[in-house]
């Protein structure tokens, strides 16, 4: 069993882990297994073997998916389970008397932490950061066992993973210390040429003597200079706490914004004035910016009006599972920003610290959400049972984690909570909102309210009665129902009954978060003139109309699509399924959103789970006014003319940016072109196919039916008769090659980094073969391991933990994790193409 000796000299030598604060990463040397109790072993159950892992780790992602998994469509058909992790910790004798804690950024879920067999702490919620004090249970000068147990079982409506899936830190402090999670940095006054930065630090004395120390504060500018500094003495009686506040003035501050995410380090030092000894240190990375919200201007950041181009996201990282690591989170945020988004909403749970840090660094606004349930359950074993006991502590954890992150501008206290339609439920909303405000008055509070869900107690009986009274529609009734679902929801949401039932719940918020409620935007101008609205969740296909509403009314401050990034679970939510057809893959219609096993993802994201942008992403970018070049989307020829069985309101057209469809020569094909121009002319090898007005059949679209033949397909945009842009697609030639692209070739060696390697099947010119998918095999030599290999396929029987995986639409993604220092060679091979090797370095 691995161990690590913790001594003060050793801790101070770890500069990269900020050891001077007494806090360092505690992610190596762990092992895990499926949990088996001693009583089960006595009864004959055999314990599974311990497997060494480096945290963060998702215990569920490598499990075998099963078609018979209960409610498998919610989890992606990953079964639940109970798991345990262990690690040994050798603690030096001289550390006796020090305060020692383990800080978990998240454990999913029902975490219990044991030290030498003794329960040291627990947490019910799977998304809260929490700390467990361990020094009372340690044997100093000896080896100690840390064990963490957790479980998941029908407790989520999406794939939530399992295990210690976020970072863990070991915290070692003196009796007198700065309380890390109570360090608050705010900017109460911000101008273009000056700013006031307020620092509030809580200092605790758990010792037996009164102490007087000096607290020093340095604000470091973006170039590394000290931009402001101050200090003051603080006296602490035994067993007491004190809050030390300093207001520092900065001239010509570098402000934080989406376009210029300038960050400052705030360094806090607790010093003994007698001998100048540093007693404790803490730090925070902050941004200086102001927030304003009012019906006249909407949302302003640093005095400038900002419209939220938002994406809802679940928190898994595709092939990695629920694992949250800095490299994965930065890659996700960078690609979302490249696609035109400036804001994300965490759906429907608090974000990891790594994800927030990525948003700070890259300039992405954040709406961090608390809960998917309050007191009314949505799953058999979800958080609703724990909510009455734990909600306050979990909100405190959320705010403590978020306070110093400039990217966070909104807290959301819930998502589609049924209680919001009742007076008693409204009291819960008021309680949550005021709790958040008592902890952080510098940001705004919203709630993703769906008036349709708020009226389910009356809607469900009515729908049941109608179904029983009407004959079944055997001619594809599911599709008929789905097509009218959005219209029906909008009618109910804008009704007088919905207005009355949700008025109090909306009134407790700074901005009315509305899920799929764009039908309310205009009418609420008259009914509630001071109501500020944000579309917290919207249909992908509604973006053109929704964005027009956002731009037309300052009180509607933004739109968050469902979803920006595809995710595991809620399988088939956005998949277009067809009536049985050999050419369409003999896909059978089903009676709900999911098509059943082996569907894996929701398939409703603008970007798929490996980071590839889908056609809807380019359409949205065009609607946002960020793209003028026309975009060509070609419907898959195999499904041309095949009747659609199910297309939900979250679906997009079943199309691809490709003109390489070997085997479909001479067959009809549908082409869409997305553009903000007046007209689009479509050409094949220079010959005009046709010219169509944009807006037919829908805004920002021009449609053409033509015949597929290889060549160069070109779309030319015209406004007022003048060409404004063009784009083209070339057919791939018959040769098949592997294209391998390394996103970053130099990686950190300590197990905290990831290398992303994009694989594509192309011809000699680099054109992707979208319709010739093949199995690719990845081998890793040197100081790294293959962490995951996968594709964006919404349905597959493959695992992400194998070294071979089929491409999807010609693409796959390999993710490696360095485990030491040195050279790394990654080789990608396929049966039908020559292997390709790429070199990386871990240093």
């Amino acid at each position: 069993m691995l161990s690590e000796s913790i001594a003060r000299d050793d801790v101070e030598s770890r500069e990269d882990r900020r050891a001077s604060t007494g806090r360092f990463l505690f992610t190596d040397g762990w092992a895990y297994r499926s949990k088996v109790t001693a009583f089960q072993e006595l009864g004959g159950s055999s314990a599974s073997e311990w497997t060494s892992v480096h945290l963060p780790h998702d215990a569920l992602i490598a499990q075998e998916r099963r078609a018979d998994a209960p409610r498998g469509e919610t989890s992606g058909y990953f079964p639940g389970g109970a798991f345990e992790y262990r690690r040994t910790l050798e603690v030096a004798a001289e550390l006796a008397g020090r305060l020692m804690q383990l800080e978990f950024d998240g454990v999913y879920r029902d975490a219990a932490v044991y030290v030498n067999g003794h329960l040291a702490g627990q947490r019910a919620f799977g998304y809260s950061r929490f700390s467990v004090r361990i020094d009372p249970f340690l044997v100093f000068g000896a080896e100690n066992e840390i064990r963490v147990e957790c479980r998941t079982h029908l407790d989520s409506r999406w794939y939530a993973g399992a295990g210690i899936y976020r970072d863990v830190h070991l915290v070692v402090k003196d009796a007198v210390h700065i309380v890390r999670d109570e360090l608050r940095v705010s900017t109460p006054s911000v101008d273009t040429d000056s700013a006031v930065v307020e620092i509030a630090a809580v200092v605790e004395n758990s010792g037996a003597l009164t102490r007087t120390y000096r607290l020093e504060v340095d604000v470091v500018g973006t170039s590394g200079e000290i931009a402001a500094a101050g200090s003051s003495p603080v006296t602490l009686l035994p067993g007491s706490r004190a809050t030390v506040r300093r207001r520092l003035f900065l001239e010509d501050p570098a402000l934080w914004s989406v376009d210029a995410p300038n960050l400052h380090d705030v360094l806090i030092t607790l010093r003994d004035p007698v001998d100048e000894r540093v007693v404790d240190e803490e730090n925070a990375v902050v941004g200086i910016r102001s927030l304003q919200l009012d019906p006249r201007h909407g949302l302003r950041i640093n005095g400038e009006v900002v419209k939220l181009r938002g994406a809802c996201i679940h928190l898994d990282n595709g092939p990695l599972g629920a694992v949250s690591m800095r490299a994965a989170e930065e890659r996700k945020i960078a690609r979302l920003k490249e696609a035109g988004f400036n804001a994300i909403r965490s759906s429907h749970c608090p974000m990891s610290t790594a994800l927030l840090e990525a948003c700070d660094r890259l300039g992405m606004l954040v709406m961090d959400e608390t809960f998917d349930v309050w007191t009314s359950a949505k799953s058999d074993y979800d958080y609703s049972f724990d909510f009455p006991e734990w909600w306050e502590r979990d909100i405190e954890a959320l705010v403590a984690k978020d306070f110093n992150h400039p990217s966070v501008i909104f807290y959301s206290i819930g998502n589609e909570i049924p209680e919001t339609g009742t007076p008693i439920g409204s009291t819960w909303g008021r309680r949550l909102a005021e709790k958040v405000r008592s902890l952080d008055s510098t940001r705004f509070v919203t709630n993703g309210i769906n008036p349709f869900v708020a009226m389910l107690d009356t809607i469900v009986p009515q729908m049941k009665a109608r179904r029983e009274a009407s004959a079944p529609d055997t001619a594809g009734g599911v599709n008929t129902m789905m097509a009218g679902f959005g219209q029906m929801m909008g009618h109910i949401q804008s009704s007088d009954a919905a207005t009355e039932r949700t008025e109090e719940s909306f009134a407790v918020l700074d901005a009315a978060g509305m899920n799929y409620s764009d039908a309310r935007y205009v009418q609420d101008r008259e009914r509630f003139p001071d109501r500020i609205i944000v579309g917290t969740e919207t249909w992908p296909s509604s973006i053109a109309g929704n964005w027009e509403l956002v731009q037309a009314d300052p009180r509607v401050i933004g739109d968050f699509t469902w979803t920006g990034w595809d995710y595991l679970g809620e399988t088939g939510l956005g998949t277009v399924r067809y009536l049985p057809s050999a050419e369409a893959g003999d896909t059978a219609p089903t009676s709900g959103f999911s098509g059943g096993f082996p569907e894996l993802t929701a398939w409703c994201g603008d970007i798929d789970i490996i980071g590839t942008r889908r056609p809807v992403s380019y359409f949205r970018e065009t609607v946002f006014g960020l793209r003028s070049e026309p975009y060509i989307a070609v419907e898959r020829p195999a499904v041309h003319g095949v009747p659609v069985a199910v297309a939900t309101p979250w679906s997009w057209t079943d199309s691809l940016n490709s003109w390489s469809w070997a085997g479909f020569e001479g067959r009809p094909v549908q082409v869409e072109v997305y553009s903000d121009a007046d007209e689009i002319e479509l050409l094949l090898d220079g010959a005009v196919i046709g010219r169509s007005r944009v807006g037919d059949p829908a805004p920002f679209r021009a449609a053409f039916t033509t015949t597929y033949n290889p060549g160069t397909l070109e779309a030319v945009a015209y406004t007022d008769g003048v060409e404004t842009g063009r784009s083209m697609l070339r057919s791939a030639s018959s040769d098949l090659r592997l294209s391998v692209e390394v996103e970053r070739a130099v990686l950190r060696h300590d197990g905290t980094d990831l290398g992303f390697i994009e694989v594509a099947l192309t011809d000699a010119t680099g054109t992707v073969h979208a319709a010739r998918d093949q199995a690719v095999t990845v081998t890793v030599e040197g100081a790294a391991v293959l962490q995951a290999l996968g594709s964006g396929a919404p349905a597959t029987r493959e695992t992400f933990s194998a070294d071979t995986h089929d491409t999807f639409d010609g693409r796959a993604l390999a993710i490696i994790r360095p485990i030491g220092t040195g050279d790394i060679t990654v080789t990608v091979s396929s049966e039908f193409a020559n292997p390709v090797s790429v070199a990386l370095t871990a240093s």
Side-chain angles (χ1 to χ4, degrees), residues 60 137 239 362 667 671 791:
L60 209 58
F137 310 98
L362 298 178
R667 302 281 294 277
V671 177
S791 74

Side-chain angles (χ1 to χ4, degrees), residues 56-57 105 165-167 315 317 321-326 328-329 352-355:
H57 175 258
D105 205 54
Y165 69 105
R166 295 178 179 177
D167 280 337
L315 301 183
N317 275 304
V323 164
S324 176
M325 295 178 65
R326 187 175 80 177
E329 307 296 22
S352 69
T353 301
L355 182 54

Side-chain angles (χ1 to χ4, degrees), residues 121-132:
Q122 58 188 154
R123 196 75 177 206
F125 198 36
Y127 300 99
S128 283
R129 188 168 76 188
F130 66 100
S131 294
V132 174

Side-chain angles (χ1 to χ4, degrees), residues 519-649:
R520 296 202 61 91
Y521 293 4
V522 173
Q523 72 178 37
D524 279 6
R525 293 178 189 172
E526 300 296 329
R527 294 188 181 188
F528 307 101
D530 293 329
R531 177 177 286 180
I532 298 168
I533 294 171
V534 56
T536 38
E537 196 166 315
T538 62
W539 314 117
S541 57
S542 299
I543 184 58
N546 285 352
W547 197 244
E548 185 177 0
L549 292 169
V550 170
Q551 292 179 305
D553 190 341
R555 288 171 296 186
V556 183
I557 63 172
D559 179 275
F560 286 80
T561 189
W562 191 266
T563 58
W565 195 281
D566 201 24
Y567 57 95
L568 306 176
E570 288 193 311
T571 62
L573 185 70
T575 301
V576 178
R577 291 188 291 278
Y578 301 87
L579 291 174
S581 162
E583 287 188 327
D586 199 25
T587 304
T590 60
S591 58
F593 293 155
S594 177
F597 187 81
E599 287 188 342
L600 174 65
T601 76
W603 199 236
C604 60
D606 279 27
I607 302 173
D608 71 18
I609 61 170
I610 66 169
T612 305
R613 292 178 66 181
R614 299 175 61 206
V616 62
S617 173
Y618 296 92
F619 179 83
R620 189 180 312 278
E621 188 181 16
T622 302
V623 173
F624 284 155
L626 303 175
R627 178 186 178 89
S628 58
E629 179 185 351
Y631 181 87
I632 305 171
V634 182
E635 183 185 65
R636 300 173 193 271
V639 299
H640 183 81
V642 180
V644 172
V646 178
T648 76

Side-chain angles (χ1 to χ4, degrees), residues 335-652:
R335 298 210 166 189
L336 285 166
K337 192 167 182 179
E338 289 168 2
F341 294 109
N342 65 4
I344 57 172
R345 171 189 177 223
S346 68
S347 316
H348 307 288
C349 48
M351 294 181 181
S352 69
T353 301
L355 182 54
L356 288 174
E357 290 174 347
C359 292
D360 291 343
R361 284 191 290 268
L362 298 178
M364 181 69 76
L365 301 172
V366 169
M367 178 186 291
D368 208 2
E369 197 153 82
T370 52
F371 312 118
D372 187 47
V373 294
W374 292 350
T375 62
S376 180
K378 295 180 180 178
S379 303
D380 293 349
Y381 302 101
D382 62 22
Y383 178 74
S384 60
F385 181 81
D386 301 304
F387 175 85
E389 178 182 354
W390 282 93
W391 72 270
E392 281 194 274
R393 282 170 285 181
D394 287 323
I395 283 183
E396 289 166 358
L398 171 76
V399 174
K401 172 178 62 69
D402 287 11
F403 194 98
N404 296 327
H405 291 281
S407 56
V408 179
I409 61 172
F410 270 101
Y411 297 109
S412 170
I413 58 174
N415 169 69
E416 296 189 344
I417 305 296
E419 296 97 300
T420 54
T422 68
I424 299 300
S426 298
T427 67
W428 272 111
R430 191 178 302 278
R431 200 176 305 169
L432 268 68
E434 291 307 315
K435 177 67 177 181
V436 171
R437 293 183 179 114
S438 72
L439 299 168
D440 186 356
S441 62
T442 70
R443 293 174 172 89
F444 309 118
V445 179
T446 189
N447 188 359
I449 295 176
N450 187 331
F452 179 86
V453 174
M455 296 183 66
L456 283 179
D457 58 328
T458 62
I459 294 170
V460 171
Q462 293 177 25
M463 293 179 66
K464 183 178 179 181
R466 288 179 183 175
R467 283 197 299 266
E468 292 174 349
S470 61
D473 181 358
T474 58
V478 171
N479 196 42
T480 302
M481 183 272 284
M482 294 299 180
F485 186 73
Q487 184 178 0
M488 174 192 68
M489 184 182 285
H491 175 74
I492 293 172
Q493 289 173 326
S494 60
S495 67
D496 290 339
T499 299
E500 181 180 346
R501 292 189 63 165
T502 59
E503 182 178 5
E504 185 176 0
S505 287
F506 279 131
V508 307
L509 308 172
D510 299 314
M514 295 190 178
N515 284 18
Y516 308 106
S517 304
D518 51 286
R520 296 202 61 91
Y521 293 4
V522 173
Q523 72 178 37
D524 279 6
R525 293 178 189 172
E526 300 296 329
R527 294 188 181 188
F528 307 101
D530 293 329
R531 177 177 286 180
I532 298 168
I533 294 171
V534 56
T536 38
E537 196 166 315
T538 62
W539 314 117
S541 57
S542 299
I543 184 58
N546 285 352
W547 197 244
E548 185 177 0
L549 292 169
V550 170
Q551 292 179 305
D553 190 341
R555 288 171 296 186
V556 183
I557 63 172
D559 179 275
F560 286 80
T561 189
W562 191 266
T563 58
W565 195 281
D566 201 24
Y567 57 95
L568 306 176
E570 288 193 311
T571 62
L573 185 70
T575 301
V576 178
R577 291 188 291 278
Y578 301 87
L579 291 174
S581 162
E583 287 188 327
D586 199 25
T587 304
T590 60
S591 58
F593 293 155
S594 177
F597 187 81
E599 287 188 342
L600 174 65
T601 76
W603 199 236
C604 60
D606 279 27
I607 302 173
D608 71 18
I609 61 170
I610 66 169
T612 305
R613 292 178 66 181
R614 299 175 61 206
V616 62
S617 173
Y618 296 92
F619 179 83
R620 189 180 312 278
E621 188 181 16
T622 302
V623 173
F624 284 155
L626 303 175
R627 178 186 178 89
S628 58
E629 179 185 351
Y631 181 87
I632 305 171
V634 182
E635 183 185 65
R636 300 173 193 271
V639 299
H640 183 81
V642 180
V644 172
V646 178
T648 76
W650 293 277
S651 301
W652 194 251

Side-chain angles (χ1 to χ4, degrees), residues 23-87:
R23 178 177 181 269
F24 61 93
L25 211 54
F26 196 65
T27 53
D28 58 354
W30 290 85
Y32 93 107
R33 69 176 183 178
S34 295
K35 184 178 181 299
V36 177
T37 68
F39 285 95
Q40 289 172 322
E41 289 186 270
L42 283 173
S45 298
S46 59
S48 58
E49 294 295 323
W50 289 97
T51 301
S52 296
V53 294
H54 195 295
L55 304 182
H57 175 258
D58 181 354
L60 209 58
I61 194 65
Q63 300 291 313
E64 182 182 358
R65 297 169 65 223
R66 298 203 321 259
D68 62 349
R71 297 287 306 279
E73 71 278 2
T74 62
S75 66
Y77 298 92
F78 287 92
F83 305 94
E84 56 184 341
Y85 292 76
R86 72 177 182 184
R87 187 195 197 279

